[in-house]
Amino acid sequence: MSSDRRRPLPLVLGFLSLTRLTVNTAHRFVFPFLPAISRGLGISLEQGGLLMSARSLAGVATPAVVASAGRSERRVRLAVWGLGLMAVGATITAATSAYVGAFAGFILLGLGKPSFDSAAVAYVADRTPYDRRARYLSFLELTWAGGLLV
């Protein structure tokens, strides 16, 4: 029996929900503050919009990454990898005041968020009995709306 099976599912679901709430808040944070981000980088709003486009287009690679994730322990690795990409992307974006740095950071953010999201949902689905799966996954999905509220 693998070590992830010993962790109580409600504890894991709570951790993943809080983490996903943070990730979703960070993802949605950019939309209302794009003018301020553009001014901080010294670029036009249109160039700021290109950052958003780059982030969205980077998410197109997610199905290929998720398809290679496999089962169980690989899902945990993919979730950690996704969080790592987000952390590096946010650090690069915040540390550089150059458009190129922000562009690279936004691409990493665009790769990290969907990778983490899909790995977290798949992990919970793998661990949840079928008759309770919809309830647990819907609780996890509430973090998308929660990110908007925060």
Side-chain angles (χ1 to χ4, degrees), residues 2 4 24 27 34 44 49 60 62 64 66 78 97 100 116 142 146 148:
S2 66
D4 66 339
N24 286 330
H27 181 77
L34 188 60
S44 68
V60 171
T62 303
V66 173
L78 181 60
S97 59
V100 174
F116 172 75
L142 283 174
L148 178 63

Side-chain angles (χ1 to χ4, degrees), residues 35-118:
I37 293 169
S38 297
R39 280 192 306 273
L41 289 170
I43 59 175
S44 68
L45 190 56
E46 289 79 19
Q47 288 175 308
L50 288 175
L51 292 174
M52 300 290 290
S53 297
R55 184 179 76 170
S56 296
L57 285 174
V60 171
T62 303
V65 173
V66 173
S68 67
R71 287 235 182 245
S72 298
E73 73 281 347
R74 288 186 182 171
R75 298 204 197 278
V76 173
R77 279 189 248 152
L78 181 60
V80 171
W81 179 252
L83 286 175
L85 285 174
M86 287 201 63
V88 171
T91 302
I92 289 172
T93 301
T96 63
S97 59
Y99 183 70
V100 174
F103 194 81
F106 269 66
I107 288 174
L108 292 174
L109 288 166
L111 289 170
K113 185 206 178 306
S115 297
F116 172 75
D117 284 350
S118 56

Side-chain angles (χ1 to χ4, degrees), residues 17-28:
S17 295
L18 285 174
T19 305
R20 197 158 181 239
L21 178 65
T22 304
V23 167
N24 286 330
T25 301
H27 181 77
R28 289 176 173 248

Side-chain angles (χ1 to χ4, degrees), residues 129-143:
Y130 186 74
D131 61 331
R132 288 180 281 172
R133 190 171 295 164
R135 182 179 312 137
Y136 281 41
L137 290 177
S138 65
F139 183 77
L140 191 61
E141 286 300 321
L142 283 174
T143 60

